[in-house]
Amino acid sequence: MKLANRAVTDVLRDAMKSRASTKPVLDSAEDTGTELMGADDFTLKDIKLSVAAVIQQWVETDDLDDGETYADRLLALMIGTADENHDGDITDDEQGVLDIALNAAWDYLSSKGASDEDLDVLLNDWDGDVADRVRDLVASVLPEGEDESDSDIDNFAFSASDQEPALDAAYKMKMAIRKGKKMRIRKRVSGTVRLSAAQKVGLRKARMKSHSATARMRRAKSMKIRRKAGLK
């Protein structure tokens, strides 16, 4: 991935810079309170599915480009989940999706044992050494086998214990900074970021993992069982 003949590492690192948020991730969040419309709930679960699949694919990565770190690869995959038309230009709407995705990544990695300190440095500063440490940790606790890995993705996205939707959480964190509180994700993407061939392959594999016909059928059966059991 190059932009004006610059290496992927330089582009990715320059793409992340601090910028104050001028509006909530979702304007209507202030009006709806803790209640989310069905479409919003579906969108959040879809983002969480994508994020968990991306992180699993990231852990399996063995094709880093020259000069690329595991932090660079994770950033590229996360950007790929939000860049709808893959033009490398992150719009305000896509930035909102990316904010939610990064907070979901924080939650998923935290559930695997990563510390808040490491996640702060990884997901805000994209530090290569921390990325190696977090990746090794996640690799050591991820379930083995395709079915088990897929179930892990579903359990994250459809967790019954998830009492605060990611969208509300992202909105609240952006509002909290105005009260002097620390946000988890403080930095935003700017400029044009184009994925390399290897990064695009990784993103396609992650999407297949979370959105394949087999995964959807298994998910539908699981949701049917939950409904019969009186669970959401």
Side-chain angles (χ1 to χ4, degrees):
M1 179 178 67
K2 291 186 177 181
L3 176 64
N5 296 320
R6 297 174 63 196
V8 55
T9 303
D10 296 332
V11 175
L12 286 171
R13 292 188 181 286
D14 290 348
M16 297 299 292
K17 70 175 185 179
S18 296
R19 188 171 76 185
S21 175
T22 58
K23 61 181 180 180
V25 173
L26 187 71
D27 291 339
S28 62
E30 190 170 26
D31 300 325
T32 59
T34 58
E35 295 296 327
L36 291 175
M37 299 297 290
D40 292 335
D41 187 55
F42 172 83
T43 298
L44 291 173
K45 285 180 170 56
D46 186 60
I47 292 174
K48 293 178 74 173
L49 285 170
S50 296
V51 167
V54 155
I55 293 176
Q56 287 192 6
Q57 183 59 42
W58 173 62
V59 169
E60 297 173 5
T61 296
D62 59 2
D63 61 347
L64 292 178
D65 295 319
D66 290 341
E68 183 184 19
T69 68
Y70 279 107
D72 297 328
R73 176 56 62 91
L74 179 59
L75 173 57
L77 293 174
M78 295 299 297
I79 289 174
T81 66
D83 187 7
E84 183 67 23
N85 55 8
H86 309 298
D87 64 353
D89 183 24
I90 304 299
T91 66
D92 286 342
D93 286 343
E94 290 169 341
Q95 179 64 56
V97 172
L98 184 56
D99 287 343
I100 296 169
L102 288 173
N103 279 288
W106 187 302
D107 290 337
Y108 185 75
L109 292 170
S110 178
S111 74
K112 302 306 179 188
S115 69
D116 284 349
E117 291 76 12
D118 277 352
L119 293 176
D120 182 20
V121 177
L122 173 60
L123 298 178
N124 281 306
D125 300 327
W126 303 99
D127 182 90
D129 291 336
V130 173
D132 291 345
R133 181 163 66 246
V134 171
R135 178 175 171 271
D136 288 344
L137 170 64
V138 176
S140 70
V141 298
L142 276 179
E144 297 182 3
E146 183 177 349
D147 289 342
E148 289 77 8
S149 295
D150 289 347
S151 294
D152 180 70
I153 293 173
D154 290 348
N155 290 337
F156 173 67
F158 299 97
S159 172
S161 63
D162 185 11
Q163 297 299 317
E164 185 175 47
L167 189 61
D168 276 355
Y171 173 77
K172 289 177 181 177
M173 277 182 284
K174 286 186 173 299
M175 297 302 291
I177 194 65
R178 299 192 178 109
K179 299 179 182 179
K181 296 180 181 179
K182 179 182 178 182
M183 292 191 303
R184 293 194 301 183
I185 303 302
R186 306 184 308 276
K187 299 185 179 182
R188 307 191 68 186
V189 172
S190 65
T192 302
V193 182
R194 302 193 185 281
L195 305 187
S196 69
Q199 290 164 352
K200 289 179 180 178
V201 169
L203 188 60
R204 283 198 297 271
K205 289 181 178 179
R207 284 175 174 159
M208 290 174 62
K209 182 186 289 287
S210 63
H211 294 97
S212 69
T214 301
R216 284 172 173 162
M217 286 300 297
R218 185 193 63 254
R219 198 168 297 131
K221 291 179 180 178
S222 176
M223 292 176 70
K224 184 177 181 180
I225 293 173
R226 290 189 182 192
R227 283 196 300 270
K228 287 184 176 180
L231 301 175
K232 293 183 178 180

